[in-house]
């Protein structure tokens, strides 16, 4: 169950895992996510399904290492298993033909964005992509995104690859020369906020996919609630996608940081366990043992 | 008259006690951990009877012919029958008698509101004109269930020959477990699907360890597994597999939906998005299912605070308030908009919370949650209330006192104001009728829904109710499912 079939290191601290999950692979549609728990005593965290192969019975997850749970995930090797994997959760993306769509990815936002872009292209939309990252080494899945776009602009904050600047700079430039009927933006909340602020005066409908802290992912706890148009909305059952012009991003960002100190403590205790272990690389072995 | 101070003497003569003598026997006290000791501990509060005290308490039962207590039990346990066996010291016989009707006795013996059910009807209580004086049916039930567990005396009961019929149970809470237990004994192949990684539903995510040790829930689940029930965690029916797929593709002949009341309500007042505001569901799930009390040994944290405000007056509010104490809060204030008489929580839970130092702020309604410059909770702005005319629920309606605003300082606010039914399974099942509040509409006698082959029970039908009512619904549906599977008649 939930066996890791392949592990690809996409960039520093960014890992792609293809995981055996036949039911989810068959069922999932673009925009949906899974909840994973890696070890006994571990947290439940949501991860967007980046791709799926129903024939192989596998789903693809892209993990950026930020805390303890993602560290544990990134250390899984082929043959290891994820302890618990539940999904697909959330509402699928509404896919329809509307004309020209700008798909905008920030960092590993490209992973959840790619299946949506693919589905939008399949129904006959013309796609223009923007893929932004801090630096060249962190640009991932450019090959996948370019395969479904008529045009792809890559940006890096430090100018080491593609155009120097932010995704919003590239998007503004594209919007000045092409009519855009829809923008789909997925990435860090600050980036989705900036994109939404850019497109609001242009009156381009903008869909964003939110990734707040969740516990159960089934509507049970309400921890993932966000303010959309001033209303309480549960991301796990009513989202994850919402109208970017209505989302209160500042509140989302504040709530995402609610457990910062606790996360640091968790990471510290993991690192201490590592230091006290004999030898230099016991961590992955321990993780593997705990995960199997 | 035997001397109650000399238990051996009394128990020897137990068969010959006259009703008058039974009536005069004192109620056996339940030993409890002291409030000071327990308020920081996850250990269970009531310690349970020992054999002698259980037998002495059992001697109080008049074993009346009319058995009014049985009529008060949602699952119809033969109460005088099992108590008689306790009195005789036949604990194995007593637990077998309970298990005929109740597959979770160690759970119900702890969390059932006996004082409003079986014990409310007890003849002793009526004769003494004091409901507190009823025979302690719940405590006796807990005693025999614990005796069974401690003596490894659990028997796998014989099941009827296999019928070849397959039933899917959606949700592993009390309704689902109860239906599963009955159906497997009737010879059906039963699979329980659970969205979480752990079985038990509200028994593991909602009810705290100090009221219901999780080990006990696990043992009841293990007992059902030994009986032949299959358990599938991490399957979200409605998402991973739909109800239609269970019936049409996965080969199930019937489906029971016991998905519970898992959609928390919020007050919808300003400030609810501040850091440090939780639904009771989230707070309790973090603390119980995810064991946040052991952080950082486990990875799920919960915001710790010195001053905690809990909004609500039900059992869930009491659980949240008492959990906050155990997570280290110095001051826990429970805010409830009506008076103590209207509190829906069990008297025992209110009493335990007060003993442990929870402060009750009654006739008080929160109007805003206040935050600091970092977006964290710093308090709750409240209005004083007074009781007006009775409302639709028959309780006097709380009316705000104009200009009575005051602030309660708190770094953590937990809202325990109720739950709606979880929509995941219902919203993905065409042809399944629900009411305005999202509850599944069923035939009350059988649990049949508007969709052929689909039954439902528990909180998803009742709205938020109790463990034992959910179990009663599960049993009722199990009988109707059995009828449907054996006759083919809908």
């Amino acid at each position: 169950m939930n066996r890791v079939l392949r592990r690809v290191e996409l960039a520093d601290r960014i890992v792609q895992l293809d995981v055996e999950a036949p039911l989810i692979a068959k069922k999932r549609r673009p925009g949906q996510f899974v909840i994973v728990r890696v070890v006994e005593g571990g947290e439940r965290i949501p991860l967007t399904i980046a791709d799926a192969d129903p024939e192989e019975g596998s789903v693809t997850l892209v993990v950026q290492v930020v805390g303890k749970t993602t560290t544990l995930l990134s250390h899984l090797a082929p043959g290891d298993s994820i302890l618990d994997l539940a999904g697909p959760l959330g509402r699928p993306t509404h896919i329809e033909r509307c004309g020209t769509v700008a798909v905008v990815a920030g960092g590993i936002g490209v992973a959840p964005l790619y299946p949506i872009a693919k589905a939008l292209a399949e129904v006959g939309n013309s796609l223009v992509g923007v893929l932004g990252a801090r630096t060249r080494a962190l640009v991932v899945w450019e090959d996948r995104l370019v395969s479904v776009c008529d045009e792809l602009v890559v940006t890096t904050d430090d100018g080491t690859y593609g155009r120097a600047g932010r995704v919003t700079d590239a998007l503004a430039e594209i919007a000045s020369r092409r009519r855009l009927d829809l923008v789909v933006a997925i990435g860090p909340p600050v980036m989705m906020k900036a994109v939404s602020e850019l497109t609001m005066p242009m009156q381009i409908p903008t869909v964003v996919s939110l990734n707040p802290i969740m516990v159960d992912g089934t509507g049970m706890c309400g921890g993932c609630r966000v303010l959309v148009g001033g209303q309480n909305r549960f991301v796990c059952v009513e989202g994850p996608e919402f109208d970017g012009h209505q989302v209160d991003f500042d509140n989302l960002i504040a709530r995402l940081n609610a457990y910062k100190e606790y996360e640091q403590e968790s990471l510290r205790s993991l690192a201490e366990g590592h230091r006290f272990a004999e030898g230099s690389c016991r961590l992955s072995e321990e993780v593997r043992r705990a995960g199997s | 008259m035997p001397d109650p101070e000399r238990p051996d003497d009394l128990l020897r003569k137990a068969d010959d006690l006259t009703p008058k003598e039974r009536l005069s026997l004192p109620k056996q006290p339940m030993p409890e951990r002291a409030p000071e000791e327990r308020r920081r501990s996850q250990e269970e509060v009531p310690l349970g009877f020992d054999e002698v005290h259980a037998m002495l308490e059992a001697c109080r039962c008049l074993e009346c012919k009319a058995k009014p207590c049985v009529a008060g039990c949602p699952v119809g346990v033969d109460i005088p029958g099992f108590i008689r066996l306790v009195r005789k010291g036949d604990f194995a016989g007593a637990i077998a008698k309970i298990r005929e009707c109740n597959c979770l006795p160690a759970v119900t013996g702890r969390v059932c509101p006996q004082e409003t059910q079986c014990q409310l009807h007890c003849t002793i209580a009526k004769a003494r004109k004091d409901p507190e004086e009823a025979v302690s049916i719940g405590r006796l039930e807990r005693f025999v269930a614990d005796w069974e567990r401690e003596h490894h005396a659990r028997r796998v009961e014989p099941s009827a020959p296999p019928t070849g019929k397959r039933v899917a149970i959606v949700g592993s809470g009390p309704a689902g477990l109860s239906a599963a237990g009955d159906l497997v004994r009737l010879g059906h192949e039963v699979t329980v699907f659970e969205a979480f990684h752990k079985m038990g539903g509200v028994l593991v995510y909602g009810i705290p360890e100090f009221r219901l040790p999780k080990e006990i829930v696990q043992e009841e689940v293990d007992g059902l597994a030994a009986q032949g029930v299959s358990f599938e965690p991490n399957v979200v029916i409605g998402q991973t597999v739909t109800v239609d797929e269970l019936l049409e593709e996965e080969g199930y002949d019937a489906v029971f939906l016991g998905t519970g009341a898992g959609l928390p309500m919020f007050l919808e007042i300003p400030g609810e998005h501040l850091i440090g505001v939780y639904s009771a569901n989230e707070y309790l799930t973090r603390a119980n299912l995810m064991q946040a009390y052991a952080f950082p040994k486990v990875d799920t944290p919960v915001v710790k605070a010195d001053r905690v405000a809990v909004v609500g007056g039900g059992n869930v509010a009491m659980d949240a308030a008492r959990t906050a104490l155990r997570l280290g809060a110095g001051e826990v204030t429970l805010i409830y908009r009506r008076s103590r008489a209207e509190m829906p929580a069990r008297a025992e839970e209110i009493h335990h919370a007060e003993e442990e130092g929870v402060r009750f702020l009654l006739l008080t309604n929160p109007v805003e949650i206040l935050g600091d410059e970092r977006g964290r909770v710093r308090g709750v702005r409240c209005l004083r209330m007074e009781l007006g005319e009775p409302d639709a629920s028959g309780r006097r309606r709380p009316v705000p006192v104009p200009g009575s605003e005051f602030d309660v300082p708190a770094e953590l606010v937990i809202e325990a104001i109720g739950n709606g039914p979880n929509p995941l399974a219902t919203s993905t099942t065409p042809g399944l009728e629900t009411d305005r509040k999202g509850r599944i509409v069923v035939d009350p006698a059988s649990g049949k829904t508007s969709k052929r082959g689909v039954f439902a029970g528990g909180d998803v039908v009742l709205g938020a109710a109790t463990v034992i009512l959910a179990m009663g619904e599960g049993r009722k549906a199990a009988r109707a499912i059995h009828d449907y599977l054996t006759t083919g008649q809908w």
Side-chain angles (χ1 to χ4, degrees):
Chain A
M1 287 268 277
N2 314 332
R3 210 155 43 91
V4 174
L5 302 175
R6 277 175 298 280
R7 176 185 185 278
V8 185
E9 207 148 330
L10 297 175
D12 181 35
R13 302 167 80 78
I14 302 177
V15 171
Q16 173 188 332
L17 297 174
D18 295 347
V19 184
E20 189 177 38
L23 281 177
I24 302 173
K26 194 174 96 181
K27 213 40 181 284
R28 72 94 215 189
R29 283 155 65 197
Q32 291 187 297
F33 64 92
V34 288
I35 290 270
V36 303
R37 195 172 73 116
V38 189
V39 289
E40 271 311 328
E43 270 188 298
R44 293 169 63 98
I45 64 160
L47 288 173
T48 313
I49 302 167
D51 208 347
D53 182 342
E55 277 174 30
E56 185 184 60
S58 66
V59 295
T60 298
L61 307 174
V62 175
V63 182
Q64 180 159 37
V65 177
V66 287
K68 181 172 173 186
T69 305
T70 45
T71 303
L72 295 176
L73 269 171
S74 72
H75 279 86
L76 294 178
D80 292 344
S81 287
I82 296 177
L83 183 62
D84 296 296
L85 180 68
L89 298 167
R91 290 188 180 171
T93 309
H94 176 70
I95 301 291
E96 68 170 342
R97 184 171 174 170
C98 55
T100 303
V101 183
V103 289
V104 186
I108 66 156
V110 68
L113 185 70
Y114 166 68
I116 297 169
K118 192 163 117 185
L120 284 167
E122 274 164 9
V123 298
N125 289 296
S126 152
L127 259 59
V128 46
V130 180
L131 174 55
R134 264 199 339 267
T135 186
R136 177 175 194 144
L138 296 175
V139 176
V140 301
W141 276 21
E142 181 188 356
D143 52 339
R144 293 207 193 201
L145 196 58
V146 79
S147 72
V148 294
C149 293
D150 307 343
E151 180 192 347
L152 179 72
V153 180
V154 179
T155 65
T156 49
D157 295 0
D158 63 2
T160 45
Y161 185 59
R163 289 189 206 169
R166 309 263 171 170
V167 290
T168 38
D169 304 329
L171 183 63
E173 183 273 318
I174 292 164
S176 69
R177 60 181 162 82
R178 287 183 74 157
R179 179 198 148 83
L180 297 176
D181 300 292
L182 177 69
V183 171
V184 182
I186 306 182
V190 277
M191 167 262 175
M192 294 191 282
K193 180 186 177 190
V195 168
S196 300
E197 282 172 353
L198 174 73
T199 57
M200 180 118 97
M202 300 182 199
Q203 295 182 326
I204 308 170
T206 299
V207 172
V208 293
S209 178
L210 308 183
N211 190 16
I213 293 168
M214 291 186 188
V215 183
D216 62 293
T218 64
M220 210 278 301
C221 81
C224 66
R225 65 192 186 278
V226 290
L227 280 169
V228 181
Q231 300 285 314
N232 251 339
R233 304 289 292 272
F234 288 8
V235 173
C236 64
V237 290
E238 299 179 89
E241 286 162 23
F242 293 99
D243 175 354
H245 298 156
Q246 300 285 323
V247 172
D248 182 338
F249 284 102
D250 293 339
N251 187 256
L252 172 70
I253 291 165
R255 289 178 62 83
L256 276 167
N257 289 325
Y259 298 96
K260 249 220 158 107
E261 298 142 34
Y262 298 90
E263 282 157 16
Q264 292 304 322
E265 194 177 341
S266 234
L267 267 177
R268 254 198 317 275
S269 70
L270 181 72
E272 276 163 19
H274 181 36
R275 205 176 321 125
F276 293 131
E278 287 171 39
S280 61
C281 201
R282 282 283 296 273
L283 177 62
S284 58
E285 196 185 310
E286 272 166 22
V287 168
R288 209 172 353 238
R289 219 178 23 238
S292 61
Chain B
M1 174 69 198
D3 182 358
E5 298 298 315
R6 297 180 55 195
D8 291 350
D9 185 36
L10 189 145
L11 290 173
R12 222 174 5 254
K13 295 172 186 157
D15 277 341
D16 306 320
L17 292 173
T18 65
K20 203 176 164 192
E21 283 168 336
R22 292 186 195 281
L23 199 54
S24 68
L25 293 174
K27 180 177 156 179
Q28 296 300 316
M30 179 67 137
E32 284 182 351
R33 240 173 263 285
E36 269 318 302
E37 176 197 339
R38 73 193 193 222
R39 68 196 292 267
R40 297 289 190 224
S41 154
Q42 291 291 335
E43 302 269 344
E44 206 176 358
V45 172
L47 299 167
F49 284 147
D50 59 20
E51 295 189 2
V52 169
H53 285 91
M55 288 162 75
L56 289 173
E57 182 65 19
C59 286
R60 299 180 65 226
C61 178
L62 295 172
E63 297 170 29
C64 13
K65 292 258 171 352
K67 303 184 182 182
C69 48
V70 179
C73 174
V75 296
V77 169
D78 177 3
I79 293 164
F82 100 78
I83 292 183
R84 183 186 166 81
L85 292 163
V86 173
R87 173 165 66 75
K88 291 177 173 294
D90 179 2
F91 307 131
I95 189 66
K97 178 65 75 185
I98 295 175
R99 284 199 178 275
E100 286 171 13
C101 300
N102 177 350
C103 69
L104 306 171
V107 174
T108 51
R110 289 173 163 80
V111 303
C112 250
Q114 291 97 5
E115 65 280 4
T116 62
Q117 297 178 350
C118 50
Q119 293 176 195
L120 181 67
H121 303 280
C122 177
T123 311
I124 299 262
K126 288 192 178 141
R128 292 211 182 171
K129 298 188 171 59
D130 181 359
E132 290 276 306
E133 286 296 316
V135 174
S136 302
I137 300 168
R139 292 169 181 179
L140 288 171
E141 179 183 44
R142 172 184 159 165
F143 165 75
V144 284
D146 288 353
W147 179 90
E148 179 195 46
R149 198 175 57 255
E150 282 153 18
H151 290 78
H152 306 287
R154 179 74 177 263
R155 286 196 298 239
V156 175
E157 290 152 67
S159 289
T163 60
K165 300 287 185 186
R166 302 177 69 212
V167 186
I169 307 280
V170 183
S172 67
L177 292 181
S178 182
D182 282 1
L183 287 163
V184 78
R185 274 196 282 171
L186 291 164
H188 306 297
E189 190 186 321
V190 180
T191 305
V192 177
F193 295 99
E194 167 57 47
F196 283 173
H197 54 270
K198 207 166 171 152
M199 295 293 157
V202 71
L203 306 176
V204 296
Y205 76 70
I207 302 177
E209 178 77 17
F210 56 85
R211 221 151 62 75
L212 178 62
K214 299 312 142 206
E215 193 192 336
I216 287 174
V217 181
Q218 189 56 49
E219 293 206 16
E220 297 284 12
V221 170
D222 291 345
L224 287 170
Q227 195 83 40
V229 176
S230 304
F231 288 96
E232 295 272 354
N234 298 317
V235 180
V236 188
I237 297 298
Q239 299 281 108
T240 316
V241 181
T242 63
V243 171
D244 282 345
E245 285 165 341
L246 287 173
L247 290 167
E248 288 157 22
E249 293 170 28
E250 303 290 330
Y252 288 94
D253 300 291
V255 175
F256 174 78
L257 297 173
T259 47
L263 197 72
M265 293 175 194
F266 285 89
L267 290 161
E268 308 290 344
I269 58 175
E272 274 185 319
H273 287 75
L274 293 164
I275 296 167
V277 182
Y278 286 112
S279 72
N281 271 7
E282 180 178 3
Y283 190 69
L284 291 171
T285 299
R286 284 177 180 271
N288 299 328
L289 178 73
M290 306 311 290
Q291 299 172 318
Y293 56 82
F295 183 87
K297 276 191 199 149
V298 301
D299 300 340
T300 305
V302 66
V303 171
K304 293 222 171 87
D306 184 42
R307 292 172 299 186
V308 177
V310 178
V311 183
N315 288 323
V316 177
M318 301 301 152
D319 284 347
R322 297 172 70 197
T323 296
L325 285 175
R326 283 155 176 82
L327 289 173
E331 191 180 301
V332 178
T333 306
L334 188 132
I335 302 172
Y336 181 55
R337 65 199 182 112
R338 302 180 197 245
S339 72
R340 179 182 297 257
E342 286 83 20
M343 274 194 171
R346 289 182 71 188
E348 182 178 320
E349 303 305 328
I350 297 172
H351 174 66
H352 278 156
E354 267 194 319
E355 271 189 343
E356 289 168 13
V358 174
R359 185 168 74 108
F360 287 10
L361 205 51
L362 304 171
L363 287 167
T364 302
N365 199 32
V367 289
E368 185 182 350
I369 299 169
L370 310 168
D372 64 15
E373 66 289 347
R374 293 155 65 222
R376 290 177 186 271
V377 171
R378 65 175 177 83
V380 188
R381 178 150 300 162
C382 299
L383 265 181
R384 293 207 190 280
M385 312 292 275
E386 55 191 16
L387 290 178
E389 295 301 305
D391 64 11
S393 71
R395 298 179 296 180
R396 292 177 66 192
R397 184 195 306 273
V399 185
V401 177
S404 65
E405 284 92 346
F406 66 104
D407 295 346
V408 178
E411 295 84 43
L412 188 61
V413 176
I414 305 166
E415 298 187 10
I417 58 162
N419 279 285
N422 192 289
L424 287 183
T426 49
S427 65
T428 51
T429 309
L432 188 70
E433 195 190 328
T434 54
D435 70 7
R436 195 172 42 87
K437 290 182 172 171
R439 295 174 296 201
I440 301 176
V441 178
V442 300
D443 165 29
S446 65
K448 276 183 190 171
T449 68
S450 57
K451 192 176 174 82
R452 190 184 168 92
V454 180
F455 298 76
D459 281 2
V460 75
V461 169
L462 300 169
T466 61
V467 168
I468 191 70
L469 282 174
M471 289 177 61
E473 294 256 303
R475 296 208 77 203
K476 186 174 64 187
R479 276 193 297 274
I481 291 169
H482 180 66
D483 285 347
Y484 169 65
L485 294 178
T486 47
T487 65
Q489 302 272 307
W490 182 248

